[in-house]
């Protein structure tokens, strides 16, 4: 893996992570001041352990698309690796929620969930989304947490939502290398 000078100068200390059978890391953004993330698999996991990006292939930020959300299945078990975890158009359901609130008719969580799964998918026009990177030794995946063409602090890219899928068999070892816009001040404890 070739790292540019700015990557080396702005890197946090390498973090080694271990996930055992049944463990995963739920959907999140790396954000903060972390411009980019490099995740590397140190071993091949016999089954499971992929890294999933439910919003991959969606031009949410570049096209200024609003009201794209996950279905409830993505966060219900804090796991965005489920096949039923899909991106959906929340516009029609948000409007129904607002309309019902104006009349005093409360929309339940169950009703919103059903709306997102049905009407949200019926009005979806952005094509298929999502991808998973299999847990294979030596594989590295890099993603930007912010628009790489802009320097400094800004909004996180929704497209960078990701999670670590359940390790179904074996153990998963990996590393996180987080890169910042500016050099990281490294403190030594003596």
């Amino acid at each position: 893996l070739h790292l540019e000078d700015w990557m080396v100068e702005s890197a946090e200390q390498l973090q080694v992570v271990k996930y055992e059978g049944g463990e995963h890391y739920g959907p999140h953004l790396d954000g903060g001041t972390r411009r980019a993330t490099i995740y590397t698999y140190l071993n091949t996991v016999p089954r499971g352990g992929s890294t999933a990006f439910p919003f991959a292939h969606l031009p949410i930020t570049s096209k200024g698309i609003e009201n794209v959300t996950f279905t409830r299945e993505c966060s219900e078990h804090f796991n965005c690796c489920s096949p039923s975890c899909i991106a959906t158009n929340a516009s029609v359901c948000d409007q129904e929620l607002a309309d019902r609130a104006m009349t005093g008719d409360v929309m339940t969580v169950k009703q919103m969930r059903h709306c997102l799964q049905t009407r949200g998918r019926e009005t979806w026009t952005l094509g298929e989304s999502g991808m998973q990177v299999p847990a294979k030794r030596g594989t590295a995946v890099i993603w930007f947490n912010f628009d790489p063409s802009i320097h400094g602090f800004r909004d996180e890219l929704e497209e960078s939502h990701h999670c670590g899928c359940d390790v179904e068999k074996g153990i998963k070892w990996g590393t996180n290398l987080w890169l910042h816009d500016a050099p990281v001040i490294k403190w030594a404890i003596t």
Side-chain angles (χ1 to χ4, degrees):
L1 180 64
H2 173 74
L3 299 177
E4 299 291 328
D5 288 343
W6 76 267
M7 294 176 162
V8 174
E9 293 168 2
S10 69
E12 289 183 30
Q13 289 187 344
L14 189 68
Q15 178 193 50
V16 177
V17 294
K18 175 185 176 187
Y19 298 90
E20 297 192 21
E23 294 182 337
H24 66 267
Y25 200 96
H28 65 284
L29 294 164
D30 287 344
T33 61
R34 294 170 174 161
R35 180 178 183 185
T37 301
I38 301 174
Y39 184 84
T40 305
Y41 295 101
L42 298 178
N43 69 311
T44 298
V45 178
R47 192 168 60 240
S50 298
T51 302
F53 296 85
F55 287 156
H57 311 296
L58 297 179
I60 298 170
T61 304
S62 64
K63 303 244 188 240
I65 298 171
E66 296 180 5
N67 293 319
V68 174
T69 189
F70 294 129
T71 54
R72 175 83 176 147
E73 288 76 10
C74 303
S75 57
E76 185 173 72
H77 301 291
F78 205 53
N79 187 351
C80 67
C81 302
S82 165
S84 57
C85 171
I86 53 175
T88 184
N89 177 1
S91 298
V92 67
C93 301
D94 287 345
Q95 186 61 53
E96 181 179 334
L97 177 69
D99 292 346
R100 290 174 70 164
M102 294 293 285
T103 64
D105 183 18
V106 177
M107 183 182 225
T108 66
V109 170
K110 186 176 181 179
Q111 289 167 329
M112 176 58 98
R113 182 177 177 182
H114 178 74
C115 183
L116 290 172
Q117 290 171 335
T118 56
R119 296 180 65 207
R121 287 307 289 173
E122 290 167 4
T123 58
W124 185 255
T125 59
L126 298 176
E128 289 302 311
S129 66
M131 68 178 253
Q132 290 190 19
V133 180
K136 184 178 177 190
R137 181 179 183 208
T139 298
V141 59
I142 182 171
W143 63 91
F144 286 94
N145 300 302
F146 301 99
D147 185 339
S149 66
I150 303 172
H151 186 77
F153 296 101
R154 61 248 167 221
D155 293 332
E156 294 170 302
L157 292 170
E158 288 298 315
E159 296 92 322
S160 69
H161 265 97
H162 60 285
C163 71
C165 302
D166 282 333
V167 174
E168 297 172 31
K169 181 179 180 187
I171 296 174
K172 172 181 164 181
W173 287 92
T175 62
N176 284 305
L177 183 62
W178 290 296
L179 311 174
H180 296 261
D181 270 338
V184 174
I185 299 172
K186 297 182 171 67
W187 296 93
I189 298 176
T190 56

